Amino acid sequence: PAWIEWHEKSSAVSVQTTELPDVTVVDFEETKVAVLEHHGAPELIYETTKKFIEWRKESKFSPIKTSKTFGIVYADPKKVKADDFRVDLCGSIEEDVPKNAFGITTQIIPSGPCAVFRHSGSFADISHGIYYLYSTWLGKNNAQCRDFPLFFHYINTIYDVDEHELLTDIYLPIK
């Protein structure tokens, strides 16, 4: 697929919501994950996702149906050059990942308090709630970011449901 063209078109028709997310604070439990790093244009993340899904199916270390799927976001794609953008695609695992041809490694999403809200629908609209967390919610709640990036828990994926039915929990580690 021509992912860059698809993202340009879908972003152009994106509806910007003004509804503020319902943010709660939870104590996230430490989670061991298998990780495949995506470096480069955010529009090409689906290519990396396909590779990660292939590994999950072949290795059976992080079964798609029974393991959680996460994305760890290291930068705002609207604020960095495409070459500097990074997201770690992750699947929960029970044991460390052995060396493999896919470049999948083992990491930990640390335990601790997180501000979290659920985003429904297209990823094209996801930044509104994230900006609210950083620009407003942190200050209103006298909270600070911990030393771990914002991350997503994908409740379902574009491979399972239509885009408007996507559910994604957004976690901001705080102290």
Side-chain angles (χ1 to χ4, degrees), residues 75-150:
D76 181 346
K78 295 177 182 172
K79 306 272 187 206
V80 298
K81 295 180 201 169
D83 290 346
D84 295 332
F85 181 70
R86 174 181 167 196
V87 172
D88 289 350
L89 303 175
C90 311
S92 62
I93 53 176
E94 296 296 321
E95 55 190 79
D96 289 355
V97 175
K99 190 169 183 164
N100 58 82
F102 289 87
I104 309 293
T105 60
T106 301
Q107 291 185 26
I108 298 288
I109 299 176
S111 64
C114 292
V116 62
F117 72 91
R118 179 159 290 174
H119 173 78
S120 299
S122 169
F123 293 129
D125 296 333
I126 206 164
S127 63
H128 176 73
I130 294 169
Y131 290 147
Y132 170 76
L133 274 178
Y134 282 109
S135 67
T136 305
W137 188 90
L138 282 171
K140 280 186 175 181
N141 291 277
N142 201 25
Q144 296 178 339
C145 294
R146 273 192 291 136
D147 191 20
F148 194 80
L150 179 132

Side-chain angles (χ1 to χ4, degrees), residues 21-28 112-118 132-133 137 141 143 169-174:
D22 183 20
V23 179
T24 58
V25 175
V26 300
D27 191 23
F28 186 82
C114 292
V116 62
F117 72 91
R118 179 159 290 174
Y132 170 76
L133 274 178
W137 188 90
N141 291 277
D169 287 344
I170 290 96
Y171 288 82
L172 178 62
I174 58 172

Side-chain angles (χ1 to χ4, degrees), residues 36 45-60 62-64 69 89 102 104 157-160:
L36 179 61
I45 198 164
Y46 289 114
E47 294 300 319
T48 306
T49 302
K50 283 178 17 184
K51 184 178 173 183
F52 189 59
I53 290 171
E54 184 180 341
W55 172 82
R56 290 178 94 173
K57 287 179 179 178
E58 279 185 24
S59 73
K60 301 191 180 10
S62 181
I64 295 168
T69 303
L89 303 175
F102 289 87
I104 309 293
T157 70
I158 197 73
Y159 300 103
D160 302 322

